[in-house]
Amino acid sequence: LLRATRLDAAGALTGRDQVLRLRRWIPDRGAERAELAWKGPTSVNPAGYKHREELELGVSDGAAALGLLGALGYAVTHAIDRAVEVYRLGETVARLEWYPRMDVLVEIEGPPEGIERMIAATGLPRAACTADALVAFTARFEARTGRPAVLAEADLAGEAPDWARR
């Protein structure tokens, strides 16, 4: 289970197309691990690959990190929960992601040649792969199903998340 929160201080980061994110990886067994990340402005190159500078560090206590950021004036602005399976092919990572209520997505990160190898390994049609932001996927889900996408488990109001049915 991956619980991610975005934080901001009165819109200062969002206004500069930057993200402060805390990810908490909650395994079926064993200890939680957490990552704190800053992500710079997004760009898409002419070949269609999305890029943004990222700085990331591991933290031993995600709850304490959240408390520290709160003390510095950052508040949670967005929460996204998902069950994930992670696959690696060289330097490239693919995450198969189940959201509380939305389509299953595959996110692929790595150098362009690795991304192309990973797409080929998945068997997905290349034309189906995009650099779209999550908001575009949620909009397509909602238009196709007539139901609101739900990205945070807390927003399900007691309904079982999609990953519980897989």
Side-chain angles (χ1 to χ4, degrees), residues 149-163:
V150 176
L151 301 180
E153 190 175 10
D155 295 337
L156 284 174
E159 178 185 337
D162 284 355
W163 63 72

Side-chain angles (χ1 to χ4, degrees), residues 5 13 16 33 42 46 49 69 88 104 129 134 139 144 149-150:
T5 52
L13 296 173
R16 296 190 310 258
R33 66 183 173 88
T42 302
Y49 296 100
L69 293 167
R88 297 184 187 283
V104 177
C129 301
L134 186 57
R144 190 182 76 257
V150 176

Side-chain angles (χ1 to χ4, degrees), residues 1-144:
L1 185 60
L2 174 56
R3 297 196 186 277
T5 52
R6 286 187 174 194
L7 301 105
D8 205 340
L13 296 173
T14 302
R16 296 190 310 258
D17 189 25
Q18 297 178 6
V19 173
L20 179 61
R21 178 190 68 208
L22 179 66
R23 279 185 169 168
R24 298 173 74 181
W25 296 84
I26 303 166
D28 291 335
R29 54 194 168 300
E32 171 185 317
R33 66 183 173 88
E35 301 162 346
L36 182 62
W38 167 85
K39 299 171 92 172
T42 302
S43 63
V44 177
N45 72 16
Y49 296 100
K50 183 166 47 173
H51 175 76
R52 76 188 306 169
E53 183 181 358
E54 296 188 29
L55 302 173
E56 191 170 89
L57 59 97
V59 294
S60 60
D61 186 338
L66 198 56
L68 182 144
L69 293 167
L72 292 172
Y74 290 94
V76 173
T77 59
H78 196 62
I80 302 174
D81 301 321
R82 54 199 174 260
V84 298
E85 292 180 11
V86 179
Y87 301 91
R88 297 184 187 283
L89 184 60
E91 297 176 41
T92 306
V93 174
R95 283 194 314 271
L96 189 57
E97 302 179 337
W98 288 264
Y99 292 83
R101 185 192 312 135
M102 197 182 72
D103 296 321
V104 177
L105 299 181
V106 177
E107 183 172 6
I108 301 174
E109 295 179 330
E113 61 279 359
I115 290 171
E116 295 304 324
R117 278 195 306 276
M118 185 67 83
I119 291 170
T122 67
L124 293 170
R126 180 61 180 96
C129 301
T130 71
D132 291 347
L134 186 57
V135 67
F137 290 105
T138 60
R140 286 195 292 267
F141 171 85
E142 291 172 351
R144 190 182 76 257

